[in-house]
Amino acid sequence: MIALDSLFFENLLWTPLLIVLAKVLVVFVIGLLATLLMVWFERKAIAGMQNRVGPNKTGPFGILQTLADGIKLFFKEDLFPTRADRFVFVVAPFLSFVPAFLSFAIIPLGGDFRDGNSGEVTIFGQVTRIQLADPPIGVLFALAISSIAVYGIMLAGWSSGSKYPLLGSVRASAQMVSYEAALGLSLACVLLLAGTLSTSGIVAAQSTITDWHFVSTGLVPFFIFLIAATAELNRPPFDLVEAEQELVGGFNTEYSSIRFALFYLAEFMNTVTMSGLIVTLFFGGPQPIAFGDFVFDIPMLPNALEGSVWLLAKILVFLYLYVWFRATLPRLRYDQLMDWGWKLLIPASLGWFMLLAAQQLGRRNDWNIFLVTGACIAVLVICYLLLQAAFSRSSSQRERQGTMF
Amino acid sequence: MGQYLPIVVLAILAILFGVGSLIASKLLAPRRPNTAKGAPYECGIVPSLEAPERFPVSFYVVAMLFIMFDIEIIFAYPYAVASNSLGVYGFWELVAFSAVFFVAFVYVVARGALDWGPVKKPRRLVSRDGDILSESRSVSTTIRRVGFEGRETREKVSV
């Protein structure tokens, strides 16, 4: 099933174009507002966890703190390091800021997916989705765009012509590249069960709690995805990119004024987007929580709007989780980070994907499910032993290297 | 193609927002550059060393490995989406590809391409000169007394 936005099936007319413009504006403003509130939320929640008050002067509960910071940054001097590569230095913030907004476009922000509804709504006589764009490649688009964001960080550090930003950006690119593999492979498990790349299709396939597949995707792929997404976002405990104690501020050390604000905006926008993506892939996006026929229905709200409320609630859980991570977990060392990514997450996600694929194949062809699972587990155990042998060989070789000096 | 129109419009809007805020900052912010501000920021220490031009080879190995894994992912996605129609043949195709790929990965790991951090040096208790466990070595010869100079005399004064 390819779920496309039926808004674009006829010839483009003025009404659809206006709807597109309105949707783009609304999504952009939602993105900006979400970022502003997320920065405030993070500071306030962390302050609470550290027994501080946090921002409390600007507006009620300090909610306008981010806005005040943004306005302040407009009035700050915009410095150009003399040794910077000027063109790349200017382009780099855009390379991380624009993709942050683009990947937000494919997340279903609402709509009624219940009872086999397709999540489409009718606005001014035009049938469309509460989602900016629903391309058939869906999730692949988000992955592609998040790869472009690596360039932003990489080039920012490189073009600064300074020591610490360069170190930060090299770390960042190696880290993001490593965890992108784990991210992609754990995502493949979700796609295998949903059978589509389109985000609205994935959401439509998850209407009740049992369709969230707690065992097949909720157990291993979800946790791998969560960890890999945290690393991809460069958020604690994986924030080696801007490890203040070693690298001053990481890749954005030489950036000041509004250029720095663009990086900051991108970082928090990415956090919001990633939470949205997790909710979309693993927890039914705007679908209400439902057990079988029983649905937690919010009264007095049309179903399409109710989707947005559910989505917001689910996203907030993950945003809080990210803040919680930051307040609780100490930063990893670089070799630990790489070991986690390459030696644990990637093999685990690949193995789990093969297991799921074999199971699905067995179920379709009516093979003996125990036989299939047993064979899979046997193969996986052999692979695990092979990997362990490789690890022990590399570490013994390293010890021999150590004694040579 | 129309499905991507909103994304293009959003990209244009985001770029406009960025350019607009840069222009606003140019209009509002002061501009008084000097050599100190333009120098690489190193927490106030005057930069003496050049930024490194060579990096540990592990970074390049990771980049190459990533391409390998990316190809695996590219192989896995079409299967994941179309597993129904690809059937048994497609599955074995995936298994064969993953097996080749996994063997390569095991080889790379065994050769130590993914080892990071400094080489661990096991501590030798008896060194070549024998000075680590020598008899003439005691606590007072090993640990430098910091901050003890002058303390005894002051105590004498206070007594």
Side-chain angles (χ1 to χ4, degrees), chain A residues 5 76-78 82-83 177 184 254 258 342 346 360 364-365 398 402, chain B residues 3 22 29 31-32 37-38 41 50 66 69 77 83-84 88 117 119:
Chain A
D5 199 336
K76 288 289 173 187
E77 182 173 357
D78 191 10
T82 36
R83 289 162 65 186
V177 142
E254 296 290 351
I258 210 71
W342 285 102
I346 289 178
Q360 205 185 39
R364 285 215 182 105
N365 293 332
R398 212 161 160 72
Chain B
Q3 297 291 333
L22 280 186
R31 191 142 179 76
R32 290 184 287 274
K37 283 180 189 168
Y41 181 76
E50 285 295 308
F66 167 68
F69 272 95
Y77 274 28
S83 58
N84 211 353
V88 184
V119 175

PDB file of all heavy atoms in Angstrom, chain A residues 5 76-78 82-83 177 184 254 258 342 346 360 364-365 398 402, chain B residues 3 22 29 31-32 37-38 41 50 66 69 77 83-84 88 117 119:
ATOM      1  N   ASP A   5      -0.325  11.490  -0.723  1.00  0.00           N
ATOM      2  CA  ASP A   5      -1.227  12.591  -0.411  1.00  0.00           C
ATOM      3  C   ASP A   5      -2.075  12.856  -1.641  1.00  0.00           C
ATOM      4  O   ASP A   5      -1.565  13.195  -2.701  1.00  0.00           O
ATOM      5  CB  ASP A   5      -0.395  13.822  -0.060  1.00  0.00           C
ATOM      6  CG  ASP A   5      -1.238  14.825   0.695  1.00  0.00           C
ATOM      7  OD1 ASP A   5      -2.470  14.772   0.536  1.00  0.00           O
ATOM      8  OD2 ASP A   5      -0.669  15.623   1.442  1.00  0.00           O
ATOM      9  N   LYS A  76      24.381  40.678  19.134  1.00  0.00           N
ATOM     10  CA  LYS A  76      25.768  40.323  19.430  1.00  0.00           C
ATOM     11  C   LYS A  76      26.624  40.437  18.182  1.00  0.00           C
ATOM     12  O   LYS A  76      26.160  40.166  17.078  1.00  0.00           O
ATOM     13  CB  LYS A  76      25.835  38.889  19.977  1.00  0.00           C
ATOM     14  CG  LYS A  76      25.281  38.772  21.373  1.00  0.00           C
ATOM     15  CD  LYS A  76      26.223  39.425  22.342  1.00  0.00           C
ATOM     16  CE  LYS A  76      25.595  39.474  23.731  1.00  0.00           C
ATOM     17  NZ  LYS A  76      26.401  40.249  24.649  1.00  0.00           N
ATOM     18  N   GLU A  77      27.887  40.774  18.375  1.00  0.00           N
ATOM     19  CA  GLU A  77      28.777  40.942  17.230  1.00  0.00           C
ATOM     20  C   GLU A  77      29.002  39.607  16.533  1.00  0.00           C
ATOM     21  O   GLU A  77      29.208  38.584  17.178  1.00  0.00           O
ATOM     22  CB  GLU A  77      30.107  41.521  17.681  1.00  0.00           C
ATOM     23  CG  GLU A  77      31.029  41.762  16.501  1.00  0.00           C
ATOM     24  CD  GLU A  77      32.296  42.490  16.906  1.00  0.00           C
ATOM     25  OE1 GLU A  77      32.421  42.840  18.079  1.00  0.00           O
ATOM     26  OE2 GLU A  77      33.145  42.686  16.025  1.00  0.00           O
ATOM     27  N   ASP A  78      28.955  39.648  15.209  1.00  0.00           N
ATOM     28  CA  ASP A  78      29.129  38.446  14.403  1.00  0.00           C
ATOM     29  C   ASP A  78      30.592  38.347  13.998  1.00  0.00           C
ATOM     30  O   ASP A  78      31.066  39.087  13.145  1.00  0.00           O
ATOM     31  CB  ASP A  78      28.229  38.554  13.173  1.00  0.00           C
ATOM     32  CG  ASP A  78      28.147  37.244  12.445  1.00  0.00           C
ATOM     33  OD1 ASP A  78      28.617  36.245  13.003  1.00  0.00           O
ATOM     34  OD2 ASP A  78      27.621  37.222  11.330  1.00  0.00           O
ATOM     35  N   THR A  82      39.806  35.017  11.425  1.00  0.00           N
ATOM     36  CA  THR A  82      40.600  35.448  10.267  1.00  0.00           C
ATOM     37  C   THR A  82      41.057  34.269   9.419  1.00  0.00           C
ATOM     38  O   THR A  82      41.264  34.416   8.231  1.00  0.00           O
ATOM     39  CB  THR A  82      41.841  36.228  10.735  1.00  0.00           C
ATOM     40  OG1 THR A  82      42.311  35.640  11.937  1.00  0.00           O
ATOM     41  CG2 THR A  82      41.514  37.671  10.945  1.00  0.00           C
ATOM     42  N   ARG A  83      41.189  33.086  10.058  1.00  0.00           N
ATOM     43  CA  ARG A  83      41.685  31.956   9.281  1.00  0.00           C
ATOM     44  C   ARG A  83      40.550  31.083   8.743  1.00  0.00           C
ATOM     45  O   ARG A  83      40.801  29.988   8.240  1.00  0.00           O
ATOM     46  CB  ARG A  83      42.617  31.120  10.144  1.00  0.00           C
ATOM     47  CG  ARG A  83      43.927  31.862  10.399  1.00  0.00           C
ATOM     48  CD  ARG A  83      44.652  31.284  11.547  1.00  0.00           C
ATOM     49  NE  ARG A  83      45.085  29.921  11.271  1.00  0.00           N
ATOM     50  CZ  ARG A  83      45.649  29.147  12.186  1.00  0.00           C
ATOM     51  NH1 ARG A  83      45.850  29.601  13.386  1.00  0.00           N
ATOM     52  NH2 ARG A  83      46.027  27.939  11.887  1.00  0.00           N
ATOM     53  N   VAL A 177      28.244   8.870  11.624  1.00  0.00           N
ATOM     54  CA  VAL A 177      28.300   7.868  10.587  1.00  0.00           C
ATOM     55  C   VAL A 177      28.169   6.469  11.196  1.00  0.00           C
ATOM     56  O   VAL A 177      27.439   5.616  10.693  1.00  0.00           O
ATOM     57  CB  VAL A 177      29.614   8.077   9.817  1.00  0.00           C
ATOM     58  CG1 VAL A 177      30.237   6.795   9.425  1.00  0.00           C
ATOM     59  CG2 VAL A 177      29.397   8.951   8.609  1.00  0.00           C
ATOM     60  N   GLY A 184      19.788   2.819  10.832  1.00  0.00           N
ATOM     61  CA  GLY A 184      19.157   2.332   9.614  1.00  0.00           C
ATOM     62  C   GLY A 184      18.753   0.875   9.718  1.00  0.00           C
ATOM     63  O   GLY A 184      17.669   0.495   9.285  1.00  0.00           O
ATOM     64  N   GLU A 254      33.822  28.602  17.124  1.00  0.00           N
ATOM     65  CA  GLU A 254      34.147  29.886  16.491  1.00  0.00           C
ATOM     66  C   GLU A 254      32.900  30.638  16.039  1.00  0.00           C
ATOM     67  O   GLU A 254      33.002  31.726  15.499  1.00  0.00           O
ATOM     68  CB  GLU A 254      35.055  29.651  15.284  1.00  0.00           C
ATOM     69  CG  GLU A 254      36.404  29.056  15.623  1.00  0.00           C
ATOM     70  CD  GLU A 254      37.305  30.028  16.351  1.00  0.00           C
ATOM     71  OE1 GLU A 254      36.939  31.218  16.431  1.00  0.00           O
ATOM     72  OE2 GLU A 254      38.351  29.602  16.853  1.00  0.00           O
ATOM     73  N   ILE A 258      24.072  35.199  15.590  1.00  0.00           N
ATOM     74  CA  ILE A 258      22.921  34.466  15.094  1.00  0.00           C
ATOM     75  C   ILE A 258      23.331  33.192  14.370  1.00  0.00           C
ATOM     76  O   ILE A 258      22.565  32.238  14.266  1.00  0.00           O
ATOM     77  CB  ILE A 258      22.071  35.378  14.182  1.00  0.00           C
ATOM     78  CG1 ILE A 258      20.614  34.963  14.257  1.00  0.00           C
ATOM     79  CG2 ILE A 258      22.560  35.381  12.761  1.00  0.00           C
ATOM     80  CD1 ILE A 258      19.977  35.312  15.577  1.00  0.00           C
ATOM     81  N   TRP A 342      29.797  -0.028  17.100  1.00  0.00           N
ATOM     82  CA  TRP A 342      30.210  -1.007  16.096  1.00  0.00           C
ATOM     83  C   TRP A 342      30.122  -2.429  16.595  1.00  0.00           C
ATOM     84  O   TRP A 342      29.752  -3.325  15.855  1.00  0.00           O
ATOM     85  CB  TRP A 342      31.635  -0.724  15.636  1.00  0.00           C
ATOM     86  CG  TRP A 342      31.721   0.440  14.744  1.00  0.00           C
ATOM     87  CD1 TRP A 342      32.137   1.693  15.084  1.00  0.00           C
ATOM     88  CD2 TRP A 342      31.376   0.501  13.363  1.00  0.00           C
ATOM     89  NE1 TRP A 342      32.066   2.521  13.998  1.00  0.00           N
ATOM     90  CE2 TRP A 342      31.603   1.811  12.930  1.00  0.00           C
ATOM     91  CE3 TRP A 342      30.886  -0.432  12.450  1.00  0.00           C
ATOM     92  CZ2 TRP A 342      31.359   2.215  11.627  1.00  0.00           C
ATOM     93  CZ3 TRP A 342      30.651  -0.031  11.164  1.00  0.00           C
ATOM     94  CH2 TRP A 342      30.881   1.279  10.759  1.00  0.00           C
ATOM     95  N   ILE A 346      25.396  -2.459  16.032  1.00  0.00           N
ATOM     96  CA  ILE A 346      25.262  -2.821  14.623  1.00  0.00           C
ATOM     97  C   ILE A 346      25.085  -4.328  14.439  1.00  0.00           C
ATOM     98  O   ILE A 346      24.141  -4.752  13.767  1.00  0.00           O
ATOM     99  CB  ILE A 346      26.456  -2.267  13.817  1.00  0.00           C
ATOM    100  CG1 ILE A 346      26.333  -0.760  13.731  1.00  0.00           C
ATOM    101  CG2 ILE A 346      26.499  -2.872  12.438  1.00  0.00           C
ATOM    102  CD1 ILE A 346      27.460  -0.110  13.007  1.00  0.00           C
ATOM    103  N   GLN A 360       9.220 -14.047   9.341  1.00  0.00           N
ATOM    104  CA  GLN A 360       8.126 -13.620   8.471  1.00  0.00           C
ATOM    105  C   GLN A 360       7.994 -14.553   7.272  1.00  0.00           C
ATOM    106  O   GLN A 360       6.891 -14.934   6.888  1.00  0.00           O
ATOM    107  CB  GLN A 360       8.397 -12.193   8.000  1.00  0.00           C
ATOM    108  CG  GLN A 360       7.137 -11.464   7.620  1.00  0.00           C
ATOM    109  CD  GLN A 360       7.456 -10.117   7.061  1.00  0.00           C
ATOM    110  OE1 GLN A 360       8.413  -9.950   6.321  1.00  0.00           O
ATOM    111  NE2 GLN A 360       6.652  -9.139   7.397  1.00  0.00           N
ATOM    112  N   ARG A 364       4.781 -16.961   6.266  1.00  0.00           N
ATOM    113  CA  ARG A 364       4.100 -16.868   4.960  1.00  0.00           C
ATOM    114  C   ARG A 364       4.055 -18.218   4.273  1.00  0.00           C
ATOM    115  O   ARG A 364       3.095 -18.540   3.604  1.00  0.00           O
ATOM    116  CB  ARG A 364       4.841 -15.870   4.077  1.00  0.00           C
ATOM    117  CG  ARG A 364       4.562 -14.460   4.509  1.00  0.00           C
ATOM    118  CD  ARG A 364       4.514 -13.515   3.348  1.00  0.00           C
ATOM    119  NE  ARG A 364       4.283 -12.172   3.883  1.00  0.00           N
ATOM    120  CZ  ARG A 364       5.230 -11.268   3.953  1.00  0.00           C
ATOM    121  NH1 ARG A 364       6.424 -11.522   3.500  1.00  0.00           N
ATOM    122  NH2 ARG A 364       4.965 -10.094   4.463  1.00  0.00           N
ATOM    123  N   ASN A 365       5.146 -19.000   4.412  1.00  0.00           N
ATOM    124  CA  ASN A 365       5.212 -20.272   3.684  1.00  0.00           C
ATOM    125  C   ASN A 365       4.774 -21.459   4.508  1.00  0.00           C
ATOM    126  O   ASN A 365       4.975 -22.597   4.115  1.00  0.00           O
ATOM    127  CB  ASN A 365       6.639 -20.495   3.169  1.00  0.00           C
ATOM    128  CG  ASN A 365       7.011 -19.485   2.118  1.00  0.00           C
ATOM    129  OD1 ASN A 365       6.135 -18.988   1.416  1.00  0.00           O
ATOM    130  ND2 ASN A 365       8.272 -19.149   2.028  1.00  0.00           N
ATOM    131  N   ARG A 398      46.437  -6.334  20.621  1.00  0.00           N
ATOM    132  CA  ARG A 398      46.680  -4.996  21.148  1.00  0.00           C
ATOM    133  C   ARG A 398      47.556  -5.060  22.389  1.00  0.00           C
ATOM    134  O   ARG A 398      48.407  -4.202  22.606  1.00  0.00           O
ATOM    135  CB  ARG A 398      45.338  -4.361  21.475  1.00  0.00           C
ATOM    136  CG  ARG A 398      45.330  -2.886  21.298  1.00  0.00           C
ATOM    137  CD  ARG A 398      43.928  -2.401  21.176  1.00  0.00           C
ATOM    138  NE  ARG A 398      43.874  -0.976  21.464  1.00  0.00           N
ATOM    139  CZ  ARG A 398      44.351  -0.057  20.646  1.00  0.00           C
ATOM    140  NH1 ARG A 398      44.922  -0.397  19.527  1.00  0.00           N
ATOM    141  NH2 ARG A 398      44.252   1.220  20.953  1.00  0.00           N
ATOM    142  N   GLY A 402      51.126  -3.414  23.148  1.00  0.00           N
ATOM    143  CA  GLY A 402      51.421  -2.612  24.332  1.00  0.00           C
ATOM    144  C   GLY A 402      52.741  -2.998  24.963  1.00  0.00           C
ATOM    145  O   GLY A 402      53.494  -2.141  25.425  1.00  0.00           O
TER     146      GLY A 402
ATOM    147  N   GLN B   3       4.360  15.444  -4.848  1.00  0.00           N
ATOM    148  CA  GLN B   3       4.437  15.063  -3.435  1.00  0.00           C
ATOM    149  C   GLN B   3       5.566  15.793  -2.708  1.00  0.00           C
ATOM    150  O   GLN B   3       5.546  15.934  -1.507  1.00  0.00           O
ATOM    151  CB  GLN B   3       4.655  13.560  -3.316  1.00  0.00           C
ATOM    152  CG  GLN B   3       3.532  12.721  -3.864  1.00  0.00           C
ATOM    153  CD  GLN B   3       2.272  12.827  -3.043  1.00  0.00           C
ATOM    154  OE1 GLN B   3       2.318  13.090  -1.854  1.00  0.00           O
ATOM    155  NE2 GLN B   3       1.140  12.662  -3.679  1.00  0.00           N
ATOM    156  N   LEU B  22      20.253  36.514   9.448  1.00  0.00           N
ATOM    157  CA  LEU B  22      21.633  36.991   9.287  1.00  0.00           C
ATOM    158  C   LEU B  22      21.649  38.474   8.931  1.00  0.00           C
ATOM    159  O   LEU B  22      22.450  39.246   9.459  1.00  0.00           O
ATOM    160  CB  LEU B  22      22.338  36.182   8.191  1.00  0.00           C
ATOM    161  CG  LEU B  22      22.862  34.821   8.589  1.00  0.00           C
ATOM    162  CD1 LEU B  22      23.648  34.208   7.460  1.00  0.00           C
ATOM    163  CD2 LEU B  22      23.733  34.940   9.817  1.00  0.00           C
ATOM    164  N   ALA B  29      23.687  44.345  14.942  1.00  0.00           N
ATOM    165  CA  ALA B  29      24.841  44.071  15.791  1.00  0.00           C
ATOM    166  C   ALA B  29      25.976  45.046  15.501  1.00  0.00           C
ATOM    167  O   ALA B  29      26.093  45.551  14.396  1.00  0.00           O
ATOM    168  CB  ALA B  29      25.308  42.644  15.555  1.00  0.00           C
ATOM    169  N   ARG B  31      29.954  46.001  14.855  1.00  0.00           N
ATOM    170  CA  ARG B  31      30.968  45.296  14.061  1.00  0.00           C
ATOM    171  C   ARG B  31      32.309  45.965  14.307  1.00  0.00           C
ATOM    172  O   ARG B  31      32.665  46.938  13.667  1.00  0.00           O
ATOM    173  CB  ARG B  31      30.561  45.356  12.596  1.00  0.00           C
ATOM    174  CG  ARG B  31      31.391  44.445  11.746  1.00  0.00           C
ATOM    175  CD  ARG B  31      30.577  43.770  10.642  1.00  0.00           C
ATOM    176  NE  ARG B  31      31.448  42.907   9.840  1.00  0.00           N
ATOM    177  CZ  ARG B  31      31.864  41.724  10.263  1.00  0.00           C
ATOM    178  NH1 ARG B  31      31.492  41.258  11.431  1.00  0.00           N
ATOM    179  NH2 ARG B  31      32.675  41.006   9.494  1.00  0.00           N
ATOM    180  N   ARG B  32      33.047  45.474  15.287  1.00  0.00           N
ATOM    181  CA  ARG B  32      34.355  46.041  15.612  1.00  0.00           C
ATOM    182  C   ARG B  32      35.381  44.921  15.702  1.00  0.00           C
ATOM    183  O   ARG B  32      35.814  44.558  16.794  1.00  0.00           O
ATOM    184  CB  ARG B  32      34.279  46.775  16.957  1.00  0.00           C
ATOM    185  CG  ARG B  32      33.473  48.061  16.899  1.00  0.00           C
ATOM    186  CD  ARG B  32      33.508  48.786  18.207  1.00  0.00           C
ATOM    187  NE  ARG B  32      32.694  48.132  19.223  1.00  0.00           N
ATOM    188  CZ  ARG B  32      31.379  48.345  19.375  1.00  0.00           C
ATOM    189  NH1 ARG B  32      30.754  49.172  18.578  1.00  0.00           N
ATOM    190  NH2 ARG B  32      30.724  47.711  20.321  1.00  0.00           N
ATOM    191  N   LYS B  37      40.016  39.095  18.445  1.00  0.00           N
ATOM    192  CA  LYS B  37      38.715  38.443  18.224  1.00  0.00           C
ATOM    193  C   LYS B  37      38.785  37.471  17.060  1.00  0.00           C
ATOM    194  O   LYS B  37      38.074  36.468  17.031  1.00  0.00           O
ATOM    195  CB  LYS B  37      37.655  39.504  17.932  1.00  0.00           C
ATOM    196  CG  LYS B  37      37.166  40.255  19.139  1.00  0.00           C
ATOM    197  CD  LYS B  37      36.123  41.252  18.693  1.00  0.00           C
ATOM    198  CE  LYS B  37      35.747  42.185  19.811  1.00  0.00           C
ATOM    199  NZ  LYS B  37      34.965  43.318  19.268  1.00  0.00           N
ATOM    200  N   GLY B  38      39.624  37.801  16.062  1.00  0.00           N
ATOM    201  CA  GLY B  38      39.681  36.956  14.880  1.00  0.00           C
ATOM    202  C   GLY B  38      40.565  35.735  15.054  1.00  0.00           C
ATOM    203  O   GLY B  38      40.537  34.837  14.225  1.00  0.00           O
ATOM    204  N   TYR B  41      39.899  30.552  18.898  1.00  0.00           N
ATOM    205  CA  TYR B  41      39.556  30.634  20.313  1.00  0.00           C
ATOM    206  C   TYR B  41      40.098  29.422  21.048  1.00  0.00           C
ATOM    207  O   TYR B  41      39.737  28.295  20.743  1.00  0.00           O
ATOM    208  CB  TYR B  41      38.044  30.705  20.479  1.00  0.00           C
ATOM    209  CG  TYR B  41      37.628  30.816  21.907  1.00  0.00           C
ATOM    210  CD1 TYR B  41      37.757  32.023  22.569  1.00  0.00           C
ATOM    211  CD2 TYR B  41      37.161  29.720  22.602  1.00  0.00           C
ATOM    212  CE1 TYR B  41      37.399  32.132  23.896  1.00  0.00           C
ATOM    213  CE2 TYR B  41      36.801  29.823  23.924  1.00  0.00           C
ATOM    214  CZ  TYR B  41      36.923  31.031  24.564  1.00  0.00           C
ATOM    215  OH  TYR B  41      36.584  31.139  25.872  1.00  0.00           O
ATOM    216  N   GLU B  50      49.567  24.605  15.074  1.00  0.00           N
ATOM    217  CA  GLU B  50      48.610  24.571  13.975  1.00  0.00           C
ATOM    218  C   GLU B  50      47.550  23.506  14.266  1.00  0.00           C
ATOM    219  O   GLU B  50      47.801  22.556  15.009  1.00  0.00           O
ATOM    220  CB  GLU B  50      49.326  24.204  12.680  1.00  0.00           C
ATOM    221  CG  GLU B  50      50.155  25.325  12.106  1.00  0.00           C
ATOM    222  CD  GLU B  50      49.279  26.490  11.667  1.00  0.00           C
ATOM    223  OE1 GLU B  50      48.341  26.251  10.915  1.00  0.00           O
ATOM    224  OE2 GLU B  50      49.548  27.622  12.102  1.00  0.00           O
ATOM    225  N   PHE B  66      31.562   2.359   7.103  1.00  0.00           N
ATOM    226  CA  PHE B  66      30.203   2.897   7.042  1.00  0.00           C
ATOM    227  C   PHE B  66      29.619   2.706   5.643  1.00  0.00           C
ATOM    228  O   PHE B  66      28.439   2.380   5.499  1.00  0.00           O
ATOM    229  CB  PHE B  66      30.194   4.372   7.418  1.00  0.00           C
ATOM    230  CG  PHE B  66      28.910   5.052   7.074  1.00  0.00           C
ATOM    231  CD1 PHE B  66      27.746   4.726   7.743  1.00  0.00           C
ATOM    232  CD2 PHE B  66      28.839   5.991   6.066  1.00  0.00           C
ATOM    233  CE1 PHE B  66      26.559   5.332   7.425  1.00  0.00           C
ATOM    234  CE2 PHE B  66      27.661   6.595   5.734  1.00  0.00           C
ATOM    235  CZ  PHE B  66      26.519   6.268   6.420  1.00  0.00           C
ATOM    236  N   PHE B  69      28.377  -0.751   5.398  1.00  0.00           N
ATOM    237  CA  PHE B  69      27.108  -0.957   6.103  1.00  0.00           C
ATOM    238  C   PHE B  69      25.970  -0.253   5.391  1.00  0.00           C
ATOM    239  O   PHE B  69      24.838  -0.721   5.408  1.00  0.00           O
ATOM    240  CB  PHE B  69      27.221  -0.463   7.542  1.00  0.00           C
ATOM    241  CG  PHE B  69      27.733  -1.506   8.463  1.00  0.00           C
ATOM    242  CD1 PHE B  69      29.067  -1.575   8.773  1.00  0.00           C
ATOM    243  CD2 PHE B  69      26.883  -2.444   8.994  1.00  0.00           C
ATOM    244  CE1 PHE B  69      29.546  -2.552   9.612  1.00  0.00           C
ATOM    245  CE2 PHE B  69      27.351  -3.421   9.830  1.00  0.00           C
ATOM    246  CZ  PHE B  69      28.687  -3.479  10.134  1.00  0.00           C
ATOM    247  N   TYR B  77      16.571  -2.495   2.782  1.00  0.00           N
ATOM    248  CA  TYR B  77      15.314  -1.742   2.716  1.00  0.00           C
ATOM    249  C   TYR B  77      14.362  -2.252   1.636  1.00  0.00           C
ATOM    250  O   TYR B  77      13.182  -2.477   1.932  1.00  0.00           O
ATOM    251  CB  TYR B  77      15.600  -0.242   2.533  1.00  0.00           C
ATOM    252  CG  TYR B  77      15.830   0.468   3.829  1.00  0.00           C
ATOM    253  CD1 TYR B  77      16.353  -0.215   4.918  1.00  0.00           C
ATOM    254  CD2 TYR B  77      15.526   1.809   3.995  1.00  0.00           C
ATOM    255  CE1 TYR B  77      16.580   0.415   6.117  1.00  0.00           C
ATOM    256  CE2 TYR B  77      15.747   2.442   5.189  1.00  0.00           C
ATOM    257  CZ  TYR B  77      16.274   1.751   6.248  1.00  0.00           C
ATOM    258  OH  TYR B  77      16.482   2.371   7.430  1.00  0.00           O
ATOM    259  N   SER B  83       9.130  -7.654   0.915  1.00  0.00           N
ATOM    260  CA  SER B  83       9.454  -9.037   1.285  1.00  0.00           C
ATOM    261  C   SER B  83       8.360 -10.000   0.822  1.00  0.00           C
ATOM    262  O   SER B  83       8.632 -11.161   0.530  1.00  0.00           O
ATOM    263  CB  SER B  83       9.640  -9.136   2.789  1.00  0.00           C
ATOM    264  OG  SER B  83       8.474  -8.704   3.436  1.00  0.00           O
ATOM    265  N   ASN B  84       7.136  -9.484   0.740  1.00  0.00           N
ATOM    266  CA  ASN B  84       6.021 -10.341   0.342  1.00  0.00           C
ATOM    267  C   ASN B  84       6.202 -10.886  -1.060  1.00  0.00           C
ATOM    268  O   ASN B  84       6.022 -12.074  -1.319  1.00  0.00           O
ATOM    269  CB  ASN B  84       4.729  -9.527   0.433  1.00  0.00           C
ATOM    270  CG  ASN B  84       3.568 -10.398   0.792  1.00  0.00           C
ATOM    271  OD1 ASN B  84       3.703 -11.616   0.845  1.00  0.00           O
ATOM    272  ND2 ASN B  84       2.435  -9.785   1.050  1.00  0.00           N
ATOM    273  N   VAL B  88      11.035 -16.478  -1.075  1.00  0.00           N
ATOM    274  CA  VAL B  88      12.144 -17.269  -0.550  1.00  0.00           C
ATOM    275  C   VAL B  88      13.451 -16.897  -1.247  1.00  0.00           C
ATOM    276  O   VAL B  88      14.491 -16.762  -0.624  1.00  0.00           O
ATOM    277  CB  VAL B  88      11.856 -18.777  -0.726  1.00  0.00           C
ATOM    278  CG1 VAL B  88      12.960 -19.600  -0.107  1.00  0.00           C
ATOM    279  CG2 VAL B  88      10.525 -19.125  -0.111  1.00  0.00           C
ATOM    280  N   GLY B 117      41.477   4.375  21.216  1.00  0.00           N
ATOM    281  CA  GLY B 117      42.154   4.731  22.463  1.00  0.00           C
ATOM    282  C   GLY B 117      43.594   4.295  22.467  1.00  0.00           C
ATOM    283  O   GLY B 117      44.046   3.583  21.580  1.00  0.00           O
ATOM    284  N   VAL B 119      47.101   2.422  23.366  1.00  0.00           N
ATOM    285  CA  VAL B 119      47.453   1.031  23.596  1.00  0.00           C
ATOM    286  C   VAL B 119      47.690   0.832  25.085  1.00  0.00           C
ATOM    287  O   VAL B 119      48.352   1.639  25.740  1.00  0.00           O
ATOM    288  CB  VAL B 119      48.731   0.693  22.811  1.00  0.00           C
ATOM    289  CG1 VAL B 119      49.193  -0.707  23.136  1.00  0.00           C
ATOM    290  CG2 VAL B 119      48.474   0.825  21.335  1.00  0.00           C
TER     291      VAL B 119
END
